[in-house]
Amino acid sequence: MTDARDLPLSAPGQTPRRVMTIAGSDSGGSAGLQADMRTFAMLGVHGCAALTAVTVQNSLGVRAFHEVPTDIVAGQISAVASDIGIEAAKTGMLASSAIIQTIVATWRSEGLDGTVPLVVDPVCASNVGEPLLHPNALDAMRDELIPLATLVTPNLDEVRLLVGIDVVDDTTQREAARALHALGPQWALVKGGHLRTSQTSSDLLFDGSEFHQFAAHRVDTPHDHGAGDTLAAAITAALAHGYRVPEAVGFAKLWITECIRAAYPIGRGHGPVNGMARLLR
Ligand code: PLP
């Protein structure tokens, strides 16, 4: 699949594929749950949401966040799983180890582990560096959630925090992919977008035996808020449509590149990638 027009969309009145994001809200509408839901809608899937935290933010940064109580996080996942059904899911900002442990326990108790593809975007900080995950929650992310993942999608800062490897070139990117895969996910995607020394943005996918590389010409823009979320949400939608991980990642890479090319300024700080880019054609 190379084009969103190839997605097997549902007919009018027919139930679309159902996906879930487990993520934080961005009041500025650029990242987090808002970016995920926008991407899901653009890709023809029904997006459900388990809110983990409410952030107070705009284009200039995150001013504060409030965590959702763990029973409410668990309740949102269970309510959807037991009625609407989930065909693929992703996680974004999870804030604390208590929330991560709740998600892991609920994922298992609802019988989703091993049956529903789960994309873990291990969000640790905003794009300008404000923490979105308590530092003491890294262990739960690494040891409890990532092993349940079909795919984990860290950027280079998250790679450093999770496996202690500084990716500076192809060799260290491979080393990082191996180390991440050793944590237990089925696939690891080491995103190279933050490696600003290169003219290409190259992401490396690894399943323990084979490497797949996805490269795009680097787009130089300050407006990249929500890029990680949009990529992971597009992968999730493609998985729900029945694509295998390498094809889903290949599609999502084309999708995010188009969104980055059409990124727009908003407010006085960093604008978002344009999740609606496809509508502009
Ligand atoms: N989730 C929330 C609620 C956020 O506020 C952010 C960044 O600010 C993210 C996720 C990750 O954003 P990005 O896709 O830019 O890495």
Side-chain angles (χ1 to χ4, degrees):
M1 174 174 61
T2 55
D3 195 295
R5 275 168 294 215
D6 299 338
L7 289 171
L9 299 182
S10 50
Q14 189 191 352
T15 307
R17 300 293 173 139
R18 290 140 292 144
V19 299
M20 170 169 262
T21 178
I22 305 172
S25 155
D26 167 7
S27 52
S30 294
L33 192 140
Q34 286 78 358
D36 293 340
M37 296 299 273
R38 185 159 48 235
T39 306
F40 292 157
M42 289 293 296
L43 295 176
V45 293
H46 177 90
C48 302
L51 184 66
T52 55
V54 179
T55 73
V56 178
Q57 69 173 298
N58 57 25
S59 70
L60 298 170
V62 180
R63 297 182 179 181
F65 68 77
H66 173 72
E67 289 170 27
V68 172
T70 52
D71 59 329
I72 300 294
V73 174
Q76 293 172 85
I77 299 169
S78 298
V80 171
S82 62
D83 173 43
I84 293 169
I86 303 172
E87 287 165 293
K90 77 171 279 274
T91 65
M93 173 188 180
L94 302 180
S96 73
S97 53
I99 291 178
I100 292 174
Q101 282 158 350
T102 297
I103 293 165
V104 168
T106 311
W107 198 251
R108 291 210 169 100
S109 65
E110 290 298 332
L112 304 171
D113 185 21
T115 60
V116 174
L118 176 66
V119 178
V120 173
D121 183 13
V123 173
C124 294
S126 73
N127 61 336
V128 288
E130 295 115 341
L132 296 174
L133 181 75
H134 289 300
N136 66 7
L138 262 180
D139 286 348
M141 175 73 80
R142 187 194 299 111
D143 304 336
E144 298 178 59
L145 183 60
I146 288 178
L148 295 192
T150 307
L151 170 70
V152 61
T153 64
N155 62 32
L156 298 187
D157 297 322
E158 291 154 358
V159 166
R160 196 175 309 113
L161 289 167
L162 288 167
V163 293
I165 295 174
D166 248 321
V167 173
V168 291
D169 55 16
D170 291 353
T171 309
T172 43
Q173 195 174 22
R174 278 182 173 238
E175 198 188 318
R178 287 188 195 282
L180 280 157
H181 184 263
L183 299 179
Q186 288 170 34
W187 298 81
L189 181 70
V190 178
K191 296 181 293 186
H194 290 188
L195 198 59
R196 304 223 182 267
T197 48
S198 167
Q199 281 303 303
T200 52
S201 158
S202 180
D203 302 342
L204 189 66
L205 180 68
F206 184 57
D207 67 348
S209 59
E210 250 182 84
F211 288 99
H212 302 254
Q213 194 151 26
F214 302 90
H217 191 71
R218 176 178 299 287
V219 181
D220 215 1
T221 172
H223 307 306
D224 63 353
H225 202 189
D229 307 81
T230 301
L231 178 83
I235 295 170
T236 307
L239 292 175
H241 281 299
Y243 288 85
R244 291 182 59 251
V245 170
E247 284 75 34
V249 172
F251 164 72
K253 181 71 173 173
L254 295 174
W255 182 262
I256 189 62
T257 303
E258 203 174 317
C259 295
I260 294 172
R261 280 201 195 110
Y264 53 90
I266 207 169
R268 283 167 289 141
H270 293 276
V273 301
N274 191 339
M276 304 163 290
R278 183 52 56 102
L279 298 175
L280 304 175
R281 284 192 162 182

mmCIF file of all heavy atoms in Angstrom, residues 23-26 31-34 53 55 57 62 92-93 121 123 125-128 130 132 155 158 191 194 224-230, ligand 1:
data_model
loop_
_atom_site.group_PDB
_atom_site.id
_atom_site.type_symbol
_atom_site.label_atom_id
_atom_site.label_comp_id
_atom_site.label_asym_id
_atom_site.label_seq_id
_atom_site.Cartn_x
_atom_site.Cartn_y
_atom_site.Cartn_z
ATOM 1 N N ALA A 23 -3.830 7.850 25.402
ATOM 2 C CA ALA A 23 -2.928 8.996 25.236
ATOM 3 C C ALA A 23 -3.396 10.210 26.022
ATOM 4 O O ALA A 23 -4.504 10.228 26.562
ATOM 5 C CB ALA A 23 -2.856 9.352 23.748
ATOM 6 N N GLY A 24 -2.532 11.218 26.040
ATOM 7 C CA GLY A 24 -2.856 12.473 26.700
ATOM 8 C C GLY A 24 -3.483 13.453 25.720
ATOM 9 O O GLY A 24 -3.275 13.368 24.510
ATOM 10 N N SER A 25 -4.232 14.407 26.281
ATOM 11 C CA SER A 25 -4.862 15.441 25.456
ATOM 12 C C SER A 25 -3.933 16.641 25.322
ATOM 13 O O SER A 25 -3.248 17.012 26.276
ATOM 14 C CB SER A 25 -6.175 15.870 26.125
ATOM 15 O OG SER A 25 -6.515 17.173 25.738
ATOM 16 N N ASP A 26 -3.897 17.238 24.142
ATOM 17 C CA ASP A 26 -3.143 18.487 23.913
ATOM 18 C C ASP A 26 -4.166 19.594 23.680
ATOM 19 O O ASP A 26 -4.838 19.605 22.641
ATOM 20 C CB ASP A 26 -2.235 18.311 22.682
ATOM 21 C CG ASP A 26 -1.650 19.621 22.182
ATOM 22 O OD1 ASP A 26 -1.831 20.661 22.855
ATOM 23 O OD2 ASP A 26 -1.028 19.605 21.109
ATOM 24 N N ALA A 31 -0.823 17.780 19.019
ATOM 25 C CA ALA A 31 -0.221 16.465 19.294
ATOM 26 C C ALA A 31 -1.219 15.603 20.071
ATOM 27 O O ALA A 31 -2.407 15.902 20.142
ATOM 28 C CB ALA A 31 1.081 16.648 20.079
ATOM 29 N N GLY A 32 -0.695 14.517 20.636
ATOM 30 C CA GLY A 32 -1.479 13.692 21.554
ATOM 31 C C GLY A 32 -2.749 13.135 20.941
ATOM 32 O O GLY A 32 -2.823 12.862 19.735
ATOM 33 N N LEU A 33 -3.727 13.004 21.805
ATOM 34 C CA LEU A 33 -4.998 12.396 21.425
ATOM 35 C C LEU A 33 -5.643 13.097 20.224
ATOM 36 O O LEU A 33 -6.218 12.447 19.344
ATOM 37 C CB LEU A 33 -5.909 12.476 22.649
ATOM 38 C CG LEU A 33 -7.185 11.688 22.663
ATOM 39 C CD1 LEU A 33 -7.376 11.111 24.059
ATOM 40 C CD2 LEU A 33 -8.351 12.593 22.349
ATOM 41 N N GLN A 34 -5.497 14.436 20.173
ATOM 42 C CA GLN A 34 -6.114 15.172 19.070
ATOM 43 C C GLN A 34 -5.479 14.793 17.733
ATOM 44 O O GLN A 34 -6.179 14.627 16.729
ATOM 45 C CB GLN A 34 -6.000 16.680 19.325
ATOM 46 C CG GLN A 34 -6.945 17.217 20.398
ATOM 47 C CD GLN A 34 -6.494 16.946 21.823
ATOM 48 O OE1 GLN A 34 -5.472 16.303 22.069
ATOM 49 N NE2 GLN A 34 -7.264 17.436 22.784
ATOM 50 N N ALA A 53 -4.084 11.709 30.493
ATOM 51 C CA ALA A 53 -3.679 12.954 31.147
ATOM 52 C C ALA A 53 -4.224 14.133 30.344
ATOM 53 O O ALA A 53 -4.410 14.019 29.123
ATOM 54 C CB ALA A 53 -2.149 13.045 31.204
ATOM 55 N N THR A 55 -3.197 17.776 29.276
ATOM 56 C CA THR A 55 -2.108 18.754 29.306
ATOM 57 C C THR A 55 -2.654 20.146 29.058
ATOM 58 O O THR A 55 -3.644 20.335 28.346
ATOM 59 C CB THR A 55 -0.996 18.468 28.256
ATOM 60 O OG1 THR A 55 -1.489 18.783 26.945
ATOM 61 C CG2 THR A 55 -0.516 17.032 28.313
ATOM 62 N N GLN A 57 -1.463 23.195 27.319
ATOM 63 C CA GLN A 57 -0.373 23.595 26.419
ATOM 64 C C GLN A 57 -0.865 24.376 25.222
ATOM 65 O O GLN A 57 -2.036 24.362 24.871
ATOM 66 C CB GLN A 57 0.459 22.391 25.979
ATOM 67 C CG GLN A 57 -0.212 21.408 25.054
ATOM 68 C CD GLN A 57 0.770 20.344 24.540
ATOM 69 O OE1 GLN A 57 1.745 20.661 23.870
ATOM 70 N NE2 GLN A 57 0.501 19.090 24.859
ATOM 71 N N VAL A 62 4.260 23.160 27.156
ATOM 72 C CA VAL A 62 3.343 22.512 28.101
ATOM 73 C C VAL A 62 3.456 23.244 29.435
ATOM 74 O O VAL A 62 4.530 23.285 30.032
ATOM 75 C CB VAL A 62 3.710 21.021 28.280
ATOM 76 C CG1 VAL A 62 2.768 20.334 29.254
ATOM 77 C CG2 VAL A 62 3.711 20.288 26.939
ATOM 78 N N GLY A 92 0.373 6.683 23.741
ATOM 79 C CA GLY A 92 1.156 7.911 23.609
ATOM 80 C C GLY A 92 1.643 8.348 24.980
ATOM 81 O O GLY A 92 2.289 7.569 25.693
ATOM 82 N N MET A 93 1.283 9.582 25.389
ATOM 83 C CA MET A 93 1.698 10.071 26.715
ATOM 84 C C MET A 93 0.998 9.255 27.809
ATOM 85 O O MET A 93 -0.222 9.190 27.849
ATOM 86 C CB MET A 93 1.297 11.540 26.856
ATOM 87 C CG MET A 93 1.527 12.086 28.238
ATOM 88 S SD MET A 93 0.824 13.737 28.425
ATOM 89 C CE MET A 93 1.280 14.051 30.140
ATOM 90 N N ASP A 121 4.201 4.067 21.355
ATOM 91 C CA ASP A 121 5.040 5.243 21.095
ATOM 92 C C ASP A 121 5.495 5.708 22.485
ATOM 93 O O ASP A 121 4.687 6.253 23.235
ATOM 94 C CB ASP A 121 4.197 6.314 20.387
ATOM 95 C CG ASP A 121 5.002 7.539 20.000
ATOM 96 O OD1 ASP A 121 6.247 7.485 20.041
ATOM 97 O OD2 ASP A 121 4.385 8.569 19.685
ATOM 98 N N VAL A 123 6.370 7.954 24.529
ATOM 99 C CA VAL A 123 6.488 9.406 24.692
ATOM 100 C C VAL A 123 7.079 9.732 26.069
ATOM 101 O O VAL A 123 6.551 9.312 27.096
ATOM 102 C CB VAL A 123 5.092 10.069 24.554
ATOM 103 C CG1 VAL A 123 5.163 11.558 24.883
ATOM 104 C CG2 VAL A 123 4.526 9.841 23.162
ATOM 105 N N ALA A 125 8.785 13.124 26.407
ATOM 106 C CA ALA A 125 8.848 14.580 26.516
ATOM 107 C C ALA A 125 8.154 15.204 25.322
ATOM 108 O O ALA A 125 7.943 14.564 24.292
ATOM 109 C CB ALA A 125 10.310 15.024 26.550
ATOM 110 N N SER A 126 7.798 16.496 25.451
ATOM 111 C CA SER A 126 7.229 17.219 24.313
ATOM 112 C C SER A 126 8.344 17.515 23.314
ATOM 113 O O SER A 126 9.525 17.310 23.612
ATOM 114 C CB SER A 126 6.608 18.532 24.789
ATOM 115 O OG SER A 126 7.644 19.420 25.110
ATOM 116 N N ASN A 127 7.978 18.041 22.159
ATOM 117 C CA ASN A 127 9.017 18.262 21.141
ATOM 118 C C ASN A 127 9.993 19.362 21.546
ATOM 119 O O ASN A 127 11.051 19.486 20.958
ATOM 120 C CB ASN A 127 8.403 18.525 19.752
ATOM 121 C CG ASN A 127 7.524 19.744 19.726
ATOM 122 O OD1 ASN A 127 7.008 20.153 20.766
ATOM 123 N ND2 ASN A 127 7.350 20.339 18.571
ATOM 124 N N VAL A 128 9.642 20.169 22.549
ATOM 125 C CA VAL A 128 10.631 21.135 23.033
ATOM 126 C C VAL A 128 11.223 20.711 24.379
ATOM 127 O O VAL A 128 11.890 21.498 25.042
ATOM 128 C CB VAL A 128 10.075 22.585 23.081
ATOM 129 C CG1 VAL A 128 9.918 23.132 21.680
ATOM 130 C CG2 VAL A 128 8.769 22.666 23.832
ATOM 131 N N GLU A 130 9.761 19.376 27.343
ATOM 132 C CA GLU A 130 9.118 19.296 28.665
ATOM 133 C C GLU A 130 8.732 17.849 28.962
ATOM 134 O O GLU A 130 8.198 17.157 28.090
ATOM 135 C CB GLU A 130 7.851 20.147 28.727
ATOM 136 C CG GLU A 130 8.097 21.622 28.588
ATOM 137 C CD GLU A 130 7.476 22.166 27.312
ATOM 138 O OE1 GLU A 130 7.196 21.371 26.398
ATOM 139 O OE2 GLU A 130 7.279 23.383 27.245
ATOM 140 N N LEU A 132 6.853 14.539 29.811
ATOM 141 C CA LEU A 132 5.465 14.071 29.771
ATOM 142 C C LEU A 132 5.348 12.704 30.433
ATOM 143 O O LEU A 132 4.281 12.119 30.480
ATOM 144 C CB LEU A 132 4.983 13.997 28.317
ATOM 145 C CG LEU A 132 4.918 15.337 27.566
ATOM 146 C CD1 LEU A 132 4.578 15.114 26.097
ATOM 147 C CD2 LEU A 132 3.913 16.289 28.197
ATOM 148 N N ASN A 155 11.772 7.861 19.259
ATOM 149 C CA ASN A 155 12.683 8.777 18.560
ATOM 150 C C ASN A 155 14.050 8.646 19.237
ATOM 151 O O ASN A 155 14.217 7.865 20.181
ATOM 152 C CB ASN A 155 12.138 10.212 18.560
ATOM 153 C CG ASN A 155 11.998 10.781 19.962
ATOM 154 O OD1 ASN A 155 12.771 10.448 20.863
ATOM 155 N ND2 ASN A 155 11.016 11.646 20.169
ATOM 156 N N GLU A 158 14.248 9.166 23.002
ATOM 157 C CA GLU A 158 13.639 8.045 23.739
ATOM 158 C C GLU A 158 14.530 6.804 23.681
ATOM 159 O O GLU A 158 14.612 6.050 24.665
ATOM 160 C CB GLU A 158 12.235 7.779 23.171
ATOM 161 C CG GLU A 158 11.275 8.924 23.496
ATOM 162 C CD GLU A 158 10.117 9.102 22.522
ATOM 163 O OE1 GLU A 158 10.026 8.355 21.520
ATOM 164 O OE2 GLU A 158 9.308 10.036 22.743
ATOM 165 N N LYS A 191 13.343 5.691 14.931
ATOM 166 C CA LYS A 191 13.076 6.819 14.026
ATOM 167 C C LYS A 191 14.295 7.737 13.973
ATOM 168 O O LYS A 191 14.804 8.151 15.002
ATOM 169 C CB LYS A 191 11.855 7.601 14.512
ATOM 170 C CG LYS A 191 10.566 6.787 14.494
ATOM 171 C CD LYS A 191 9.379 7.591 14.959
ATOM 172 C CE LYS A 191 9.452 7.956 16.418
ATOM 173 N NZ LYS A 191 8.236 8.619 16.926
ATOM 174 N N HIS A 194 15.288 12.826 14.163
ATOM 175 C CA HIS A 194 16.009 13.829 14.967
ATOM 176 C C HIS A 194 17.513 13.862 14.673
ATOM 177 O O HIS A 194 18.236 14.630 15.290
ATOM 178 C CB HIS A 194 15.773 13.583 16.464
ATOM 179 C CG HIS A 194 14.379 13.897 16.897
ATOM 180 N ND1 HIS A 194 13.972 13.912 18.216
ATOM 181 C CD2 HIS A 194 13.277 14.213 16.184
ATOM 182 C CE1 HIS A 194 12.692 14.219 18.281
ATOM 183 N NE2 HIS A 194 12.244 14.392 17.062
ATOM 184 N N ASP A 224 6.783 20.825 13.656
ATOM 185 C CA ASP A 224 6.759 19.354 13.629
ATOM 186 C C ASP A 224 6.032 18.777 14.844
ATOM 187 O O ASP A 224 6.170 17.606 15.165
ATOM 188 C CB ASP A 224 8.189 18.803 13.563
ATOM 189 C CG ASP A 224 9.010 19.171 14.796
ATOM 190 O OD1 ASP A 224 8.516 19.959 15.640
ATOM 191 O OD2 ASP A 224 10.146 18.675 14.916
ATOM 192 N N HIS A 225 5.247 19.612 15.501
ATOM 193 C CA HIS A 225 4.533 19.130 16.680
ATOM 194 C C HIS A 225 3.523 18.056 16.247
ATOM 195 O O HIS A 225 2.802 18.240 15.279
ATOM 196 C CB HIS A 225 3.810 20.314 17.336
ATOM 197 C CG HIS A 225 3.484 20.093 18.771
ATOM 198 N ND1 HIS A 225 2.690 20.947 19.498
ATOM 199 C CD2 HIS A 225 3.843 19.115 19.624
ATOM 200 C CE1 HIS A 225 2.583 20.503 20.728
ATOM 201 N NE2 HIS A 225 3.272 19.392 20.836
ATOM 202 N N GLY A 226 3.525 16.952 16.969
ATOM 203 C CA GLY A 226 2.580 15.874 16.652
ATOM 204 C C GLY A 226 3.095 14.891 15.612
ATOM 205 O O GLY A 226 2.370 13.980 15.214
ATOM 206 N N ALA A 227 4.344 15.032 15.194
ATOM 207 C CA ALA A 227 4.859 14.145 14.136
ATOM 208 C C ALA A 227 4.897 12.685 14.600
ATOM 209 O O ALA A 227 4.475 11.776 13.878
ATOM 210 C CB ALA A 227 6.245 14.598 13.690
ATOM 211 N N GLY A 228 5.409 12.474 15.821
ATOM 212 C CA GLY A 228 5.516 11.107 16.337
ATOM 213 C C GLY A 228 4.143 10.474 16.510
ATOM 214 O O GLY A 228 3.939 9.296 16.168
ATOM 215 N N ASP A 229 3.218 11.256 17.043
ATOM 216 C CA ASP A 229 1.851 10.740 17.264
ATOM 217 C C ASP A 229 1.211 10.362 15.931
ATOM 218 O O ASP A 229 0.590 9.300 15.802
ATOM 219 C CB ASP A 229 0.965 11.812 17.897
ATOM 220 C CG ASP A 229 1.571 12.405 19.135
ATOM 221 O OD1 ASP A 229 2.426 13.289 18.998
ATOM 222 O OD2 ASP A 229 1.185 12.003 20.229
ATOM 223 N N THR A 230 1.357 11.259 14.950
ATOM 224 C CA THR A 230 0.693 11.047 13.661
ATOM 225 C C THR A 230 1.259 9.805 12.972
ATOM 226 O O THR A 230 0.503 9.006 12.405
ATOM 227 C CB THR A 230 0.861 12.307 12.785
ATOM 228 O OG1 THR A 230 0.285 13.411 13.503
ATOM 229 C CG2 THR A 230 0.175 12.163 11.444
HETATM 230 N N1 PLP B 1 1.202 13.509 23.641
HETATM 231 C C1 PLP B 1 0.976 14.736 24.157
HETATM 232 C C2 PLP B 1 -0.221 14.965 25.019
HETATM 233 C C3 PLP B 1 1.857 15.754 23.866
HETATM 234 O O1 PLP B 1 1.614 16.971 24.371
HETATM 235 C C4 PLP B 1 2.980 15.497 23.041
HETATM 236 C C5 PLP B 1 3.934 16.563 22.737
HETATM 237 O O2 PLP B 1 3.804 17.691 23.140
HETATM 238 C C6 PLP B 1 3.161 14.229 22.526
HETATM 239 C C7 PLP B 1 2.253 13.272 22.856
HETATM 240 C C8 PLP B 1 4.303 13.864 21.629
HETATM 241 O O3 PLP B 1 4.371 14.744 20.579
HETATM 242 P P1 PLP B 1 5.216 14.460 19.257
HETATM 243 O O4 PLP B 1 4.342 13.676 18.342
HETATM 244 O O5 PLP B 1 5.490 15.845 18.732
HETATM 245 O O6 PLP B 1 6.420 13.695 19.652
#
